[in-house]
Amino acid sequence: MKTYIYKSFTLLGIFLIWSCDDFLTTVPESSYSVASAYKNQSDFEYAIAGVYSAQQDLYSTNSCWFRLIISRSDDTRNGSHNTYGVDQFTDGDNVSTLSVGWQTLWSMINRCNLILDKIESVEFSDSNLKSNITGEAYALRAWAYYTLAWQFGGMPLINKEMSVAETKTILRSTQEETFAFAVADFKKAIELLPATWSGSDLGRVTRYAAEGLLARLLMFQSKFPEAKPYLEDIITSGHYQMEPNYVNCFNDSHDNGKERVWEVQFTGNLSGEGQSFSTGMLPEGYTDAVLIPFPGTAEAMYASLDMANAYETGDLRKDVSIVTNIKVSGVLQSKYHYILKYCHYKYVPQSKTDWANNIPILRYTDVKMMYAECLNEEAYIADGEAFNIINEVRSRAGLTPLTLVNVPNQEAFKKALIQERRVEFAFEGLRWNDLVRWGIAREVINNHFMEKDEGEGAYSMDGDYREIFAIPYDELSRYNDKTVMWQNPGY
Amino acid sequence: MKDYLTDLKLKRNSSFLKIAVSLLLAFCFSSIANAGLSDKASAQQAKVSGQVKSADGTTLPGVNVVVKNSVQGTITDTNGNYSILNVPADATLVFSFVGMKPKEVLVGNKTIIDVVMIDEAIGIDEVVAIGYGTMKKSNLTSSISRITDEAMKERPIMLVGEAFQGQLAGVRAQSSNGGMPGDELTIRIRGMNTINGDSNPLYVIDGVPRTDMNDINPGDIASIQILKDASASSIYGARGGNGVVLIETKQGKGKPSVTVDAYYGFSQTENKLELMNGNQWVAWNMFRRNISHLRAGGSMSDPMSSRSASDQIPGTWENWTPFTDWQDAVFQTAPIQSYQVSASSSGDIGSIYFSAGYVDQDGIVKHSYYERKNIRLNATMNVNKKMKVGVNLGGAYSDKNGAGLDASTGSNGNGKEAALHHALMVTPLMQLNEGTRDWGFPVNVGSTYPNPVEQLKETTDNTKYTRVATSIWGEYEIAKKLAFKTQYSYNYDGYTYEFFQPGNVTYANGYVTLGNSSATTTGVWTFQNTLNYDKILGNHKVSLLLGQSMEQQKYYRIYAAATGWPYESIKTLNVATTPTSATTNRTTYSNASFFGRVNYEYKDRYLVTASIRRDGSSRFGSNSRWGYFPSVSAGWKINEEALLKEADWISLLKFRGAWGMSGNDRIGDYTYMALLGTYNTSWGNQVISGVAPSRIANEDLKWESTRSLDFGIDFSVLRNRIQVNFDYYKNKTKDLLFSVPIPYTTGFSSFTNNVGSLENKGWEVDFTSHNIKRKFNWTTNLNLSRNKNKVLNMGDITEFTSKSQDAYFITKIGGPVSQFYCYQTDGILTSSDFDPEGKPLVPILAGQEEGNVKYVDQPDQNGEKDGKINSNDYVACGNNLPDLIYGVTNRFSWKNFDLSILIQGQLGGDVLFMGQRQFDIGAPNLNGLNRWLRSYKPDYERIYGSGENPVPVDYITEHEIDFSWDGKTPNPVGKNDNNDDRRIYDSGYLRIKNITLGYTLSKNALGNSLVNNIRCYVSLDNVKTFDDYPGYTTETNSFGNSTTMMGVDYSTYPLSRRCVFGVIIDF
């Protein structure tokens, strides 16, 4: 009996030995693990592309962050879809698109940190590429911090890979400190980035793109003298020129052309890298194949009447930017103005999400206009370089040049600039940024809301605190610690 | 035997009838073999006759009289008499009758044998499976429930889960998609023991752990047992945390017999929604267009042509005919049919059971269906006195078409784009041959939804499964009472899915034809070895179990999608214009376990069980791959004590207490690792590959573990005529596998970690009474259970919200998981809520006006109200978990008739009627619920001046349409939010689930025929539901079985009322 028991336990013992830990160590067969990456040059090429991929998400759909930024300004009619009250200044801390934008910007920062932490110790066969990628990581991190700071205020400065617990100990800094951090990053990037990219690298951030964005950041803080040399450097580089035909600033036939200093890249051919942002501009049931190959979406955004009226008579930019009197579901819509700027195409999209049009972050015209603004801030010079620039922009739009008669002083010139920037950069997401930095946001927005089609005062910007958005509730609840991540005052 | 197997294999692909014939042939072969082996030669033979009576002296007809170990036998006639020829003298006669104790009598030289049979005490020696072994039910020390085969046999059951409904305390079986044909029910045992994980129980089918019980033929099931508390389920360790369902399929038994079981019937939708009919739609839209014109500054006296186009009322509307009732158009009366054949026998050589089954159910929504073919062979062979081997083979093929309604496949955005949803919204003006790209849309209605009938017809939404379950086992008695069992099994599940929707019926998508297809294969092998040892020493009885198991699962998936087809007659992707996606994916999951259990009984009255399992899983990090799951339980049968021994009326009085721990490892594979995701981008008009981490690594990730405490009383009196089981339990799940929301500043949104704890506590009562037990039998079974779910801790956070479309959910400490989270309403805004200038005097949402829904401005933590209505005013408003579930079954039998009535239901629980966001807002152009005709209408003449009344008075008078306010429906103009408590309904209900009436003809009545028994029945399902729900059904989970977003009805498939006629013939 005992031997039987003994034998049977031996038998079982054999089975037990079979089940060892090796059996339980399964390796992913269909995904790469982080542990095996960031080891050589090509790993970093993929890694930096991963950062651009996140940036692209901010611009790619009809409910993206970029669309929301456009809707915040007086460019659009309030009550458009997918805007969660951002256009009506009734937004609180629960604007999901802002929360998604916030999340995407932080994943850009995280991806840049990972690259910057690991690239130093890796041997590259192409040492230029190593410094270029390092520069890109700095530039993209700077852009993300700048974008966060002007919209949400001061951010926690997370400058390396951190554990969840460690991240939770980093307090929000001030907006000033965040901008300073971004400035330092931009400066490092400018040292490391190439002047141009070519071929299948077109669209990556260049030295001039970094300079232009740095200038935009500095001007946001009214640091005109600091911004000016960077703009000068771009203009004198000779790499850029203004597109002779305004529509080609947006048509995909001129993607990555001379006008485009930096733009978010998209590819058609049903590659999955197209955008649906353009689709989201025109209304559902609208099927005029000449203008757009697809019926748009139920969430179309409208241009404001105010915006449509801002164009001077004969301004060629109006018909490029806005379309009125179109038929929707067979009914003529005379009530609404729609945004056409992103719907000029050469490549015919094969689906709603297949637009190849790049979306501009920085156009050369903006570089020049910013430069003109810096010059004017320095001193009003009648018929000087600033006049030349603004008139070059106006002449492309088929308008008469400004003279010292109608722009007699520094203040008048600034007014002219404000007007010119509005119509030139309509729906390009710059207006809200401009209104805030000029300190006129509340006045302009409240005037806008008094118009009949904007509700005649039903809405208002009830305080300057609305110059920045609320920190998403979602994020506050994730911290659940108001001493580290607190809400912006007013919200 | 061998021939039979080859035969079976050859015929596997042939039609159902051929299989049935081959089964019958095989059956004949096996029964001859069986008889040849078991018949014993004998010299002396005689005729034996006699009469069988019951203890009270009445004669018993229909008693089985069989010569032991032979096929020889008969049945007593109407007077209880029998006679058998050629009975060997050394033979034993076995008398058996349902409800009586079987009796054996040695023949010897007797020629007349009269027998008195006595009532069997009910269920006293019932044996239940406890996982890797069995135990006498009366000696159980943990909470285990059993679904009797009565419950499965008496009525037609198409899906195994139907057998659970209303049958067991503590077990909730509910459809997650209404009456979608072929959707197996969701089973929840004692609430939800997890937050982010999967709450499905572990299924153990013929000893093999599985993740589901889909496509099993219910006719093949011998028993279902449910291990409810962790002391019972901890023998399944890391996977037992949500309870274990043990399913045993049938083994060959008794004389060779063949059973044919067939039914045929029809189903119809249980109810229809109250939509506007054609005239009502016209009246409503005249009103909406008038009001839109007035609001734009116009006047009712303006000529129609001066109105803006979208406000004009076409002249054709006035006398429009005919109208289409789109609900009628998409629903149908659908046939159901099922056919089964099985054969069963056992003898000295072993046993054999095999079967084939076919079911075919058309859905009540057109073009949806479910079809299934099953085949099974279970065989055992006694090699010698010590060794026994066996095989279980089960094959299933199923084919299901959801016609674009199937929530589980997700092809139609959780129901949002489903044809059934569209059917509630397209205008009755649209004709049956309108509403597609080719046919066009009704003029000037602006419908953006395609023709639902065409959408159903043209859409392919097809799921096919091929499932093969194989298992081979051997048992060897190493020494007396020391048995070794080994079992190797391999299960293969092959799944293919095809979706195709021609541009013709996908207007919203820009007429683009879309298709996708995927196939997955899942292969799992399991190898299990156990040693069982039993020993009785005087008053002591000990059983020991020692075991080991290993399992590995390989999963493979291929998915492809395309757009654009030159011709839509071919639906496969190869002819598509543009491929858009192609991926494959593989994962491996393995686990290994060791386990042991000790049962100790002293004098059959003091009972103790202890078990432990050690589990290792590849799903966890190397730091915590292994875990221990112990349990201990004890019972005391007081009735065996001297004190109560005399009390004859008490059959059982047992107190038991149990503590145990079990776990859950249902998080995907590799979750503990930081993986790189691919995040492509574009440079220079080319696609560029990009990568980035998709999540944070967590080498410490481990099981979530449920500790459960259970106290129970089992009580039986009057020879078990009344049986009561009562349980009180408290489960605490710790180390929840929680996808913890982390600050986005980390670069990620969540991190899978073991955080927090959750509690489920409740009680259950199971009550069975054999009220009358004579010629007329009446049995009642009642079960009641209550469970309360409470989140105790979530680590660093106190609450989190989830959202899909307009539906928000909140899970917070102190409450149950997944509460609805929305505005609280307080009637509607009346004119007194506004000053004479129209400025609001109470907080409102931007854009609200008189007659709109009034929202409550909730106080913040400091008790202050901010005077605004915004998302800070969302409050938790109920959840999907019921307070109490119950089931009552009454069974009656009289002579040859049997009748059973099953009533089941629940109290409490809520459901969110999500579809209302589109058809219950009083929208223009779309159709919707007709209550909006009676919506709030402000004093238009006061606002717009005298004579300016937008209500089309002439039209509504002519068609007798009531436009007066019903006192609750708000003003559709202005703003009413979609996420408020108006959409949340009590999901309590009482349902007459099933009524079955049967009639049985015994062999005697049939005369000298081949047939032993015939039972005919008629069965009605979902006879009547009593609830307060305006939708189709509350049995829904449109957002899938996600734990954090439960109870949403978004165009759920309606439940069907079924009427089925069936016949069961035993040969």
Side-chain angles (χ1 to χ4, degrees), chain A residues 278-279 281-282 291-292 339-345 355 357:
Chain A
S278 296
T279 314
M281 293 290 118
L282 291 174
L291 285 178
I292 185 167
I339 300 163
L340 193 64
K341 192 169 236 179
Y342 298 99
C343 303
H344 302 284
Y345 57 93
W355 289 79
N357 294 53

Side-chain angles (χ1 to χ4, degrees), chain A residues 312-425:
Chain A
E312 293 166 53
T313 318
D315 191 329
L316 299 172
R317 290 172 296 197
K318 187 175 180 181
D319 284 350
V320 171
S321 308
I322 290 175
V323 61
T324 316
N325 291 328
I326 57 175
K327 274 191 174 177
V328 178
S329 295
V331 180
L332 192 71
Q333 286 285 353
S334 46
K335 208 162 153 189
Y336 298 119
H337 306 280
Y338 293 99
I339 300 163
L340 193 64
K341 192 169 236 179
Y342 298 99
C343 303
H344 302 284
Y345 57 93
K346 179 175 168 222
Y347 165 74
V348 184
Q350 302 297 300
S351 78
K352 283 182 163 187
T353 56
D354 192 39
W355 289 79
N357 294 53
N358 291 348
I359 294 174
I361 300 173
L362 179 64
R363 291 201 278 124
Y364 185 56
T365 308
D366 191 14
V367 171
K368 296 195 76 167
M369 294 280 277
M370 284 194 283
Y371 186 60
E373 195 174 335
C374 288
L375 291 172
N376 186 55
E377 291 294 329
E378 211 168 63
Y380 172 78
I381 299 169
D383 286 332
E385 178 62 12
F387 271 79
N388 292 344
I389 292 170
I390 203 168
N391 286 333
E392 192 185 352
V393 174
R394 286 178 63 82
S395 91
R396 178 172 67 179
L399 300 175
T400 53
L402 299 177
T403 64
L404 66 161
V405 177
N406 37 30
V407 189
N409 54 36
Q410 193 181 30
E411 199 181 323
F413 190 88
K414 185 162 183 184
K415 267 202 167 141
L417 258 172
I418 288 172
Q419 157 65 15
E420 207 57 47
R421 282 189 71 85
R422 182 169 197 202
V423 290
E424 173 68 25
F425 302 116

Side-chain angles (χ1 to χ4, degrees), chain A residues 9 16 21 23-24 29-30 32 34 46 53 94 106 110 168 200 202 265 267 270 331 473-475 478-479, chain B residues 309 546 578 585-586 588 590 594 618 626 674 676 680 682-684 691 742 744-746 749 796 799 871:
Chain A
F9 277 84
L16 302 191
D21 254 9
F23 177 68
L24 296 178
E29 294 159 85
S30 303
Y32 306 104
V34 171
Y46 294 132
S53 176
N94 65 334
W106 282 107
N110 171 266
K168 281 183 166 180
S200 64
L202 279 172
Q265 305 285 310
T267 304
L270 291 171
V331 180
Y473 169 78
D474 202 14
E475 184 70 316
R478 280 154 190 267
Y479 271 94
Chain B
L546 208 57
T578 318
N585 184 25
R586 283 202 300 246
T588 302
S590 30
F594 310 104
S618 67
W626 291 90
L676 280 184
N680 293 346
S682 170
W683 289 335
V691 300
I742 51 172
Y744 293 126
T745 52
T746 57
S749 57
D796 289 349
E799 60 181 53
S871 62

Side-chain angles (χ1 to χ4, degrees), chain B residues 145-148 151-152 155 157 159-174 184-189 201-203 213 216 218 221 223-227 244-247 783 885-887 889 902 904 993:
Chain B
S145 290
R146 178 188 169 96
I147 297 177
T148 58
M152 281 183 288
R155 65 189 177 107
I157 285 171
L159 304 165
V160 183
E162 294 171 30
F164 288 64
Q165 282 191 306
Q167 299 293 335
L168 298 172
V171 180
R172 186 184 186 206
Q174 184 178 281
E184 188 52 274
L185 306 186
T186 304
I187 308 291
R188 291 284 176 269
I189 298 167
L202 175 72
Y203 296 91
M213 55 175 181
I216 292 180
I221 293 177
S223 75
I224 300 175
Q225 267 137 143
I226 291 141
L227 312 184
V244 180
V245 175
L246 299 176
I247 296 177
N783 59 74
I885 56 175
Y886 57 88
T889 308
L902 165 61
Q904 53 91 220
K993 185 71 191 168

Side-chain angles (χ1 to χ4, degrees), chain A residues 180-206:
Chain A
F181 183 83
V183 167
D185 267 3
F186 270 132
K187 286 182 175 168
K188 282 180 217 159
I190 290 164
E191 296 302 311
L192 296 162
L193 286 169
T196 57
W197 293 94
S198 62
S200 64
D201 288 322
L202 279 172
R204 298 172 74 162
V205 61
T206 61

